[in-house]
Amino acid sequence: MLKKEQVNEIIKIAKKYLKGLEWEIGIDSTNTGTTRFANSIIHQNMGVHRPFMWVRIINKKRIGSSTTTDLSEEGIKNLIERAINLSKSKYAPKLETSLPKKTKIEKVSKKIVISPKEREEAVAKIVQVCKKNNLNAFGVIHTINSSLAIFNSNGVNNYALLNWTYTTITAMNESASGFSFAIEKDFHKIDFKELANIACEKALMAKNPKDIEPGKYTVFLEEPAVAEIISFLAWLEFGAKRFYEKTSLISKKIGKKITGKNVTIYDDWTNKLTLGIPFDFEGVKRNKVILIKNGIAKGVVTDSYFAKKLKMKNTGHSLMQPAPWGPFPLNLVFEKGDKKKEEMLKSIDKGIYVTRFWYTRVVDPDRTLITGMTRDGTYFIEKGKIAYPIKNMRFLINIYETLENVKMISKEQKYYGEELFGVVAPALVIENFNFQSKTEY
């Protein structure tokens, strides 16, 4: 993590080598503390400082970009020289829009530092709960402090501090496992004992799973399972690149019904559960963007390049340039419903309860067809109660068709994701969810 004064000093050095050029500089400096544990023993407790700087040069309407982890003057000079040389190539991409201008940005500048000892004590609480239940604890605690700064020759000068803790716990024995997680801006708000209790309860319930046949079932999806599915819409549907190329389904459906009318999804960095970065990687203020409202396709997120291409407003969703995926929604929110999760479970006569999915992959991006596996707590539901554990199942679904069949949405929401990308998701009850095959475990 770099202080604003340190960032300003780096920019001062860089400007010496940027005279007469149009330029953009980004500096991401992250301190990550990591404590990993397996078989109830800590096997890694470490910290890593990762400085990262990138530059985008516009030289006679040609673009050159380069990156470095060396923030010394020599490293900065070399970085800029590489970018300038690339911009002189006849193969360098041409500038199609100017760099963004300065806009007013909300400041985010809170710093929370967690020591290795504090992470070790948190793991001790987790292991204590697991041992009490004759289970082994596996998982990780990442504590992250990061500074992000974006500057350009048009006056953009943005800086933000970010803090978050990412925790996963898997409680296991030889035949069963249970999962819980937390992603919180403040480490001290996480109840590690409670998280361990949830993982243990799921593992104990998962002993001696039964075999059931694949097919279409009513499912109760916990928040991580919902977030996993919705995250693929971020890659496949909600960015302006595939919209411009007309390869996404939403590009052919704006203003038309695309999901069930009870589904509303938007991108909003101000949601309290998200990590909350107020500007994008071009330094543009992030705007809330409605993507699907009451089942109707409403829009996609843009950056400066695709906003010009599509003659749309720049919504402030650029990734670091050059960005092969185009603009991207980092803070997706699936609008909450009005049901308690207990009510939703009671409504299911026969169905499958899913804690989370993993190994989810795209089968056909043009149809939003994805496949993946259940994991760490899959159970059969009978008469509104979890009746018994079942072996894991492989699903194969079209995301939009699946969202046509959402019957209930929970009041509760959780944030689930990795790095700077996540989804604020409720739990869902969905009918006719397709399980394509079964497993032996």
Side-chain angles (χ1 to χ4, degrees), residues 26-310:
I27 305 168
D28 172 16
S29 178
T30 301
N31 294 338
T32 303
T34 296
T35 304
R36 297 183 190 275
F37 49 102
N39 288 314
S40 301
I41 295 171
I42 291 174
H43 62 89
Q44 186 181 50
N45 197 9
M46 57 177 283
V48 174
H49 175 223
R50 185 185 65 89
F52 184 73
M53 178 173 172
W54 67 95
V55 63
R56 185 162 50 142
I57 301 287
I58 292 90
N59 184 13
K60 297 179 181 176
K61 301 293 182 183
R62 294 277 184 179
I63 301 172
S65 303
S66 191
T67 65
T68 187
T69 56
D70 181 357
L71 303 190
S72 68
E73 177 156 359
E74 189 65 19
I76 295 167
K77 180 184 173 187
N78 291 338
L79 168 73
I80 293 170
E81 284 178 353
R82 284 199 303 275
I84 291 173
N85 287 336
L86 288 169
S87 72
K88 292 177 180 174
S89 166
K90 65 179 181 181
Y91 301 110
K94 288 183 179 178
L95 176 71
E96 298 205 26
T97 182
S98 60
L99 294 174
K101 293 179 179 175
K102 185 176 183 178
T103 53
K104 189 175 180 181
I105 301 289
E106 185 175 335
K107 290 185 178 179
V108 179
S109 57
K110 187 178 177 185
K111 182 179 176 182
I112 301 171
V113 177
I114 304 301
S115 69
K117 183 69 176 174
E118 286 177 284
R119 293 196 303 273
E120 185 183 320
E121 289 170 354
V123 172
K125 292 176 185 176
I126 294 165
V127 169
Q128 185 183 33
V129 173
C130 289
K131 280 189 172 176
K132 195 180 291 182
N133 289 283
N134 293 317
L135 295 165
N136 278 318
F138 300 77
V140 66
I141 300 175
H142 292 301
T143 52
I144 296 126
N145 311 117
S146 181
S147 61
L148 177 66
I150 309 291
F151 289 68
N152 75 23
S153 50
N154 284 342
V156 167
N157 175 352
N158 293 322
Y159 172 86
L161 292 179
L162 303 168
N163 307 273
W164 73 96
T165 297
Y166 173 91
T167 303
T168 64
I169 302 171
T170 304
M172 293 181 70
N173 62 15
E174 291 176 355
S175 66
S177 63
F179 172 79
S180 65
F181 78 99
I183 303 173
E184 268 283 352
K185 281 176 262 192
D186 187 346
F187 171 90
H188 300 102
K189 288 184 178 177
I190 299 175
D191 186 336
F192 290 97
K193 280 190 175 179
E194 178 58 23
L195 282 183
N197 275 321
I198 292 169
C200 288
E201 184 181 1
K202 285 182 177 294
L204 295 173
M205 287 167 55
K207 282 183 177 178
N208 304 315
K210 296 182 181 179
D211 212 10
I212 68 164
E213 291 304 310
K216 291 190 175 181
Y217 290 88
T218 297
V219 291
F220 181 104
L221 302 184
E222 285 197 2
E223 298 89 340
V226 176
E228 178 88 2
I229 292 172
I230 300 303
S231 68
F232 282 85
L233 291 181
W235 295 103
L236 300 175
E237 291 287 299
F238 293 155
K241 184 177 181 184
R242 278 174 55 85
F243 187 89
Y244 174 73
E245 295 167 344
K246 299 189 185 304
T247 52
S248 63
L249 288 172
I250 203 169
S251 65
K252 301 157 189 132
K253 290 272 191 176
I254 289 295
K256 297 179 182 175
K257 184 172 179 294
I258 198 165
T259 67
K261 64 181 181 181
N262 54 358
V263 172
T264 293
I265 301 173
Y266 49 91
D267 185 87
D268 183 11
W269 75 273
T270 65
N271 185 293
K272 290 181 179 176
L273 295 177
T274 70
L275 300 182
I277 311 172
F279 52 86
D280 72 1
F281 287 79
E282 289 182 311
V284 176
K285 179 182 178 182
R286 290 181 187 278
N287 290 288
K288 179 177 178 179
V289 179
I290 304 293
L291 304 160
I292 296 172
K293 186 170 185 180
N294 300 329
I296 305 297
K298 288 293 183 182
V300 294
V301 298
T302 63
D303 57 13
S304 61
Y305 177 81
F306 283 101
K308 184 175 182 183
K309 282 278 185 190
L310 291 162

